[in-house]
């Protein structure tokens, strides 16, 4: 899975219609709405602003008046095929006076995003996972310091007979983090990660 290092764009012309493919790295629908509003202001004479948002928990797509399935779906297919995530893809269309038909529209919108991806710098997305550990109060500060060293986020802390910390980390470092935590706390640590997922 990949995400954009920065915004990217490309423009194609088909039968005098201009299709401007734009890609933005973002993660929320609110950011997408703000970007679309800005684009509509920048391109007051454009006839369509078709878009696809793919991000964790908040995705969507819109043909913006084009025949259903001829704009956003082909754009979405390109993003999925290229495995791009945390992205807003927009194609701004200026009408050229010639109808392209459903097939022609689908090819044009897909091609505009394909060309924009060629101009984009893509970075691998690190898969994240959660772990849950139970430890003694006296060991909490030691584990929190280890979290800082590994850039691990403490999502939640619960206090009872012991401390339960719910942590978020890169999956690629989870095993090394857990081993070092056991070593630092001399084995006085319980990994309850499987129970946290149930």
């Amino acid at each position: 899975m990949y995400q954009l290092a920065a915004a990217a764009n490309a423009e194609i012309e088909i039968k005098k219609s201009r299709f401007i493919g734009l890609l933005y790295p973002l993660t929320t629908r609110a950011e997408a709405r703000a970007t679309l509003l800005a684009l509509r202001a920048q391109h007051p004479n454009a006839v369509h602003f078709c878009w696809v948002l793919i991000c964790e928990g908040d995705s969507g797509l819109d043909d913006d008046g084009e025949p259903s399935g001829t704009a956003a779906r082909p754009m979405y297919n390109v993003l999925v095929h290229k495995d791009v995530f945390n992205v807003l893809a927009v194609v701004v269309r200026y009408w050229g006076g010639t109808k392209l038909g459903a097939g022609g529209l689908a090819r044009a919108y897909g091609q505009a995003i394909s060309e924009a991806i060629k101009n984009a710098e893509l970075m691998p997305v690190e898969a994240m996972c959660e772990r849950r550990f139970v430890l003694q109060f006296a060991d909490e500060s030691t584990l929190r310091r280890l979290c800082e060293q590994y850039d691990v986020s403490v999502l939640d802390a619960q206090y009872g007979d012991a401390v339960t910390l719910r942590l978020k980390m890169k999956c690629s470092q989870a095993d090394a983090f857990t081993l070092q935590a056991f070593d630092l706390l001399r084995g006085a640590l319980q990994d309850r990660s499987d129970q946290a997922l149930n």
Side-chain angles (χ1 to χ4, degrees):
M1 192 176 300
Y2 299 92
Q3 63 187 16
L4 298 170
N9 64 72
E11 184 174 329
I12 61 173
E13 186 174 311
I14 299 172
K15 294 185 180 177
K16 298 184 181 176
S17 277
R18 286 173 55 210
F19 295 85
I20 305 168
L22 303 154
L23 300 171
Y24 299 94
L26 41 83
T27 57
T28 68
R29 193 173 287 263
E31 290 175 296
R33 271 194 295 271
T35 302
L36 286 164
L37 282 173
L39 282 173
R40 288 182 190 277
Q42 290 170 21
H43 299 275
N45 298 321
V47 292
H48 298 287
F49 294 83
C50 304
W51 60 268
V52 175
L53 173 65
I54 300 178
C55 61
E56 188 175 347
D58 203 7
S59 299
L61 47 88
D62 185 8
D63 288 318
D64 192 38
E66 291 284 31
S68 180
T70 62
R73 179 59 62 183
M75 296 162 58
Y76 173 82
N77 291 342
V78 170
L79 295 172
V80 169
H81 176 72
K82 298 292 186 180
D83 208 15
V84 182
F85 190 67
N86 289 336
V87 62
L88 172 67
V90 183
V91 174
V92 177
R93 182 185 181 193
Y94 285 88
W95 169 249
T98 304
K99 291 188 175 184
L100 302 179
L105 284 173
R107 284 188 294 279
Y109 280 99
Q111 183 183 346
I113 294 304
S114 286
E115 294 299 321
I117 286 177
K118 288 178 187 175
N119 295 331
E121 180 185 344
L122 299 177
M123 307 177 307
V125 174
E126 280 274 3
M128 303 296 283
C129 61
E130 289 186 17
R131 292 284 174 101
R132 190 171 71 145
F133 296 105
V134 179
L135 56 147
Q136 298 303 310
F137 294 105
D139 294 328
E140 181 181 2
S141 60
T142 302
L143 188 60
R144 283 184 180 263
R145 280 193 299 278
L146 183 64
C147 289
E148 289 173 11
Q149 291 172 18
Y150 275 83
D151 197 24
V152 168
S153 302
V154 178
L155 300 177
D156 185 45
Q158 295 179 351
Y159 300 93
D161 293 339
V163 180
T164 301
L165 294 179
R166 190 165 58 96
L167 309 176
K168 186 173 185 178
M169 64 190 74
K170 294 176 184 173
C171 293
S172 61
Q173 71 184 22
D175 289 342
F177 176 88
T178 302
L179 283 173
Q180 191 166 350
F182 273 105
D183 286 348
L184 275 174
L185 304 183
R186 301 154 313 281
L189 179 72
Q190 296 176 30
D191 185 349
R192 298 279 178 87
S193 301
D194 291 338
Q195 293 175 6
L197 301 175
N198 292 336

